[in-house]
Amino acid sequence: MSHVLNFLVSSSSCSPTTFATSKRPAFPVSAVRSRLPVKTFLRTPIVIASASENGSGVIRSSATQVHDTYNAVADFEVDAVTEAELKENGFRSTRRTKLICTIGPATCGIEQLEALAVGGMNVARINMCHGTREWHRMVIERVRRLNEEKGFAVAIMMDTEGSEIHMGDLGGASSAKAEDGEIWTFTVRAFDSPIPRHTINVNYDGFAEDVKVGDELLIDGGMVRFEVIQKIGPDVKCLCTDPGLLLPRANLTFWRDAKLVSERNAMLPTISSKDWLDIDFGIAEGVDFIAISFVKSAEVIKHLKSYIKAHSPNSDIAVIAKIESIDSLKNLEEIIQASDGAMVARGDLGAQIPLEQVPSEQQRIVQLCRQLNKPVIVASQLLESMIEYPIPTRAEVADISEAVRQRGDALMLSGESAMGQYPEKALSVLRSASLRIERSWREQKHHEVIELPSIASSFTGSISEEICNSAAKMANNLEVDALFVYTKNGHMASLLSRCRPDCPIFAFTTTTSVRRRLNLQWGLTPFRLSFSNDMESNLNKTFSLLKARGMVRSGDLIIAVSDMLQSVQVMNVP
């Protein structure tokens, strides 16, 4: 008899207080690793069960098994980078924190995109503030082609521009440098001819009337600062007080008497007419995530999700709320609850609240997303110096390390990868810093004791939560090599990710789009695999495929869970 710890839970056959357990010999859980024989789960001959067998577990001849194994490979997709890491270093080498790269002129080529994918990019972000839709379509097509040809699972995130006050496109220039003491003109005038030197268009018609002499203008969250010194009709003359690099369509805020002037921003819609056209484009292109800028309320998120469902009923596009304004912070919990994830956009947020408050707000947002089981991205200025220099500052590395310690799901590069001189090096810094901090955490055995609130809305959902919480705790106590989760919609995988176990989580799903979407969440290594409702057949098939590719070894201890049968199993790889 196979010695497998097997808890099967079914809401249809169990009372609310009763779990049905298998009638296998009982033994202490602490003895699982030492007492499980190596070949306990798989029987001879190997069963390769496909979804069409409906879990019947038909025993095939050896020749048929070999043929089916080759057929099964076609139904099995794994990230090429993860596969190489697993072969070289084993389960525990995998990075848990996910990495996002903004794609721009420096990284839009097919070779550059492949280099980023090889370097660990999990999500490619396209920023609708810049570039044409044709250009963005080209980037999406290239990423999709890399996924198909090279076996990557890079997801696409489309980031809307938002309707806050921002600069124009700098007359087509990729950037402009503002030096200390220079006089620049901010204007609402349109120019038929090339824009005059040291002149910046502003998208808000009432700008010249609303600002006052003495106001302070902050560009791109404070990367460049100006002081208003004169108003002449539609033109506002400003003195550069903090020099820096001006980027096209950068956000602009103005302060008076050390307070943010936000009344006019509050009158602008969260989703502009241009944003709706961009959203239509994203739906048509089948992006995986749409990030909404300057979210003020949960109603905006709900409205967008209804719009996506109406225009693409079969799509599973996730909506990410960007937290970058005072209004976002006022309605934080409602916004995160309504969304599919959140982004801590620290640059623009730091332009609306005192700088010293940004770290504590970042931690609050990360913790709240964790509690509500929503992936969270820490973004903006992670490696700002690497736009121009090949190595980061020590403070930037410390900042990255803190975000990893807070257990955020993902870190995001913006200008560093879009238009910086060293995009691959910047990604390498993110990757190596994340790995080092994660390894240190595991070596010190900092098992988290955080009490996560229940988020289930049904009894079945509560069962799934309890299973995942228990599986993660067992994984830490038994020091298993990996957690396997078989999930069709990704929910149970996200519940395991929420627990932040020490070991990696292998998430097997039947849908390519779900696989890409799971690539944003902490600790998940997503695979696409055709499977049935028969857990034993699924595990047989998984072990066979993973061993054939050198990704697991005999004797590895794993815990497997499933959202089809709501089960937990502990076993050695044969």
Side-chain angles (χ1 to χ4, degrees):
M1 180 178 289
S2 168
H3 296 292
V4 178
L5 186 61
N6 186 19
F7 302 104
L8 296 177
V9 184
S10 173
S11 57
S12 61
S13 59
C14 301
S15 67
T17 57
T18 305
F19 285 168
T21 59
S22 63
K23 297 179 180 180
R24 300 176 188 262
F27 52 88
V29 171
S30 60
V32 169
R33 179 181 286 276
S34 60
R35 294 184 60 178
L36 278 180
V38 173
K39 293 189 178 181
T40 55
F41 192 82
L42 292 180
R43 292 187 283 271
T44 304
I46 294 175
V47 178
I48 304 294
S50 67
S52 62
E53 291 169 335
N54 296 319
S56 60
V58 179
I59 304 299
R60 310 286 183 88
S61 67
S62 298
T64 304
Q65 292 169 49
V66 172
H67 176 73
D68 284 348
T69 300
Y70 282 110
N71 285 338
V73 171
D75 295 328
F76 181 69
E77 294 176 1
V78 56
D79 187 276
V81 177
T82 300
E83 181 176 359
E85 286 184 349
L86 287 168
K87 288 179 179 178
E88 183 177 355
N89 301 313
F91 282 119
R92 297 213 168 240
S93 69
T94 56
R95 169 177 41 84
R96 314 296 198 267
T97 307
K98 301 307 178 72
L99 307 179
I100 304 172
C101 296
T102 302
I103 307 303
T107 47
C108 63
I110 192 72
E111 292 181 0
Q112 290 87 353
L113 287 169
E114 183 173 358
L116 291 179
V118 171
M121 174 177 67
N122 302 107
V123 180
R125 171 182 176 251
I126 55 174
N127 187 353
M128 303 308 289
C129 289
H130 311 287
T132 64
R133 292 194 185 98
E134 290 71 25
W135 184 88
H136 292 301
R137 183 179 292 110
M138 175 197 69
V139 171
I140 292 171
E141 289 173 351
R142 288 177 175 177
V143 172
R144 294 284 192 248
R145 194 170 79 193
L146 279 173
N147 285 346
E148 292 174 4
E149 295 178 357
K150 304 289 185 177
F152 299 116
V154 177
I156 299 288
M157 175 183 292
M158 190 193 82
D159 199 326
T160 63
E161 181 178 312
S163 58
E164 297 293 283
I165 299 174
H166 58 75
M167 298 172 10
D169 62 4
L170 299 179
S174 60
S175 64
K177 187 68 177 291
E179 300 288 356
D180 190 21
E182 288 182 343
I183 306 297
W184 285 66
T185 300
F186 289 75
T187 182
V188 297
R189 288 186 291 150
F191 294 92
D192 295 329
S193 57
I195 190 168
R197 188 169 179 266
H198 288 179
T199 300
I200 293 174
N201 281 117
V202 179
N203 72 325
Y204 170 49
D205 291 339
F207 176 74
E209 288 77 23
D210 287 342
V211 297
K212 295 182 179 180
V213 173
D215 283 353
E216 186 178 33
L217 302 187
L218 273 65
I219 309 297
D220 199 11
M223 298 308 295
V224 188
R225 291 172 185 255
F226 293 88
E227 180 185 344
V228 177
I229 60 174
Q230 188 180 14
K231 295 170 58 175
I232 308 173
D235 299 339
V236 178
K237 300 290 185 179
C238 300
L239 173 71
C240 180
T241 55
D242 278 344
L245 199 64
L246 298 168
L247 301 178
R249 310 192 74 79
N251 179 249
L252 188 155
T253 57
F254 54 102
W255 292 61
R256 183 176 303 143
D257 301 324
K259 293 182 180 179
L260 175 71
V261 180
S262 60
E263 290 82 2
R264 294 300 176 184
N265 278 355
M267 296 174 62
L268 298 172
T270 298
I271 303 178
S272 68
S273 56
K274 176 184 180 298
D275 290 336
W276 284 115
L277 293 175
D278 289 338
I279 289 167
D280 287 339
F281 166 81
I283 294 172
E285 293 297 321
V287 299
D288 301 289
F289 305 96
I290 295 178
I292 299 300
S293 298
F294 302 103
V295 176
K296 299 180 178 71
S297 69
E299 292 306 313
V300 172
I301 300 294
K302 294 175 183 177
H303 179 46
L304 175 57
K305 293 176 82 168
S306 297
Y307 182 85
I308 293 172
K309 186 174 181 180
H311 287 74
S312 183
N314 297 323
S315 119
D316 55 1
I317 298 173
V319 176
I320 305 295
K322 294 178 67 177
I323 310 301
E324 52 190 340
S325 69
I326 291 176
D327 293 319
S328 300
L329 297 177
K330 288 177 182 177
N331 304 302
L332 185 62
E333 185 166 352
E334 293 82 1
I335 289 172
I336 294 175
Q337 189 71 264
S339 71
D340 299 306
M343 180 190 297
V344 191
R346 304 180 305 175
D348 289 320
L349 186 61
Q352 298 206 10
I353 64 175
L355 291 175
E356 62 272 14
Q357 290 184 17
V358 174
S360 60
E361 292 295 348
Q362 172 182 314
Q363 185 169 15
R364 180 167 77 100
I365 296 166
V366 170
Q367 290 178 348
L368 185 57
C369 286
R370 171 91 175 276
Q371 291 171 356
L372 296 176
N373 194 31
K374 310 285 185 176
V376 59
I377 304 160
V378 177
S380 305
Q381 303 168 358
L382 285 171
L383 292 168
E384 191 76 12
S385 68
M386 292 193 74
I387 292 177
E388 298 186 64
Y389 301 102
I391 60 172
T393 67
R394 279 47 176 176
E396 287 171 334
V397 175
D399 178 38
I400 293 169
S401 300
E402 179 59 25
V404 174
R405 287 191 180 94
Q406 290 176 2
R407 302 303 187 96
D409 288 86
L411 304 175
M412 190 180 92
L413 295 175
S414 299
E416 304 96 327
S417 58
M419 42 80 71
Q421 298 184 44
Y422 307 97
E424 292 174 38
K425 286 187 177 181
L427 180 60
S428 176
V429 170
L430 275 192
R431 181 177 181 176
S432 59
S434 300
L435 282 168
R436 177 63 61 88
I437 297 303
E438 292 168 356
R439 186 182 303 118
S440 173
W441 190 278
R442 291 193 296 272
E443 288 173 351
Q444 296 175 34
K445 298 187 182 302
H446 284 164
H447 294 166
E448 293 194 61
V449 294
I450 184 172
E451 291 294 328
L452 296 171
S454 175
I455 57 172
S457 57
S458 65
F459 176 63
T460 302
S462 295
I463 293 174
S464 295
E465 277 188 41
E466 291 297 330
I467 286 175
C468 289
N469 292 343
S470 299
K473 184 176 180 180
M474 290 170 63
N476 289 341
N477 292 341
L478 299 176
E479 298 183 356
V480 304
D481 295 293
L483 279 158
F484 284 13
V485 54
Y486 296 84
T487 177
K488 291 188 176 179
N489 59 17
H491 179 62
M492 209 156 184
S494 72
L495 290 174
L496 283 176
S497 171
R498 179 192 189 212
C499 295
R500 303 296 196 259
D502 284 354
C503 65
I505 306 164
F506 285 14
F508 302 95
T509 183
T510 57
T511 309
T512 300
S513 60
V514 173
R515 179 187 172 218
R516 289 196 306 265
R517 187 156 43 84
L518 291 177
N519 217 8
L520 178 64
Q521 298 192 26
W522 188 97
L524 296 182
T525 301
F527 298 75
R528 191 189 68 80
L529 177 71
S530 298
F531 53 74
S532 68
N533 289 333
D534 181 355
M535 273 295 288
E536 186 160 343
S537 295
N538 292 335
L539 286 161
N540 288 335
K541 180 177 182 179
T542 306
F543 288 151
S544 177
L545 290 169
L546 292 178
K547 286 188 70 177
R549 300 178 74 148
M551 298 175 67
V552 298
R553 302 181 179 93
S554 295
D556 286 337
L557 184 63
I558 68 112
I559 292 178
V561 303
S562 165
D563 65 9
M564 288 90 69
L565 298 178
Q566 293 187 311
S567 64
V568 180
Q569 296 178 327
V570 182
M571 67 212 73
N572 288 111
V573 176

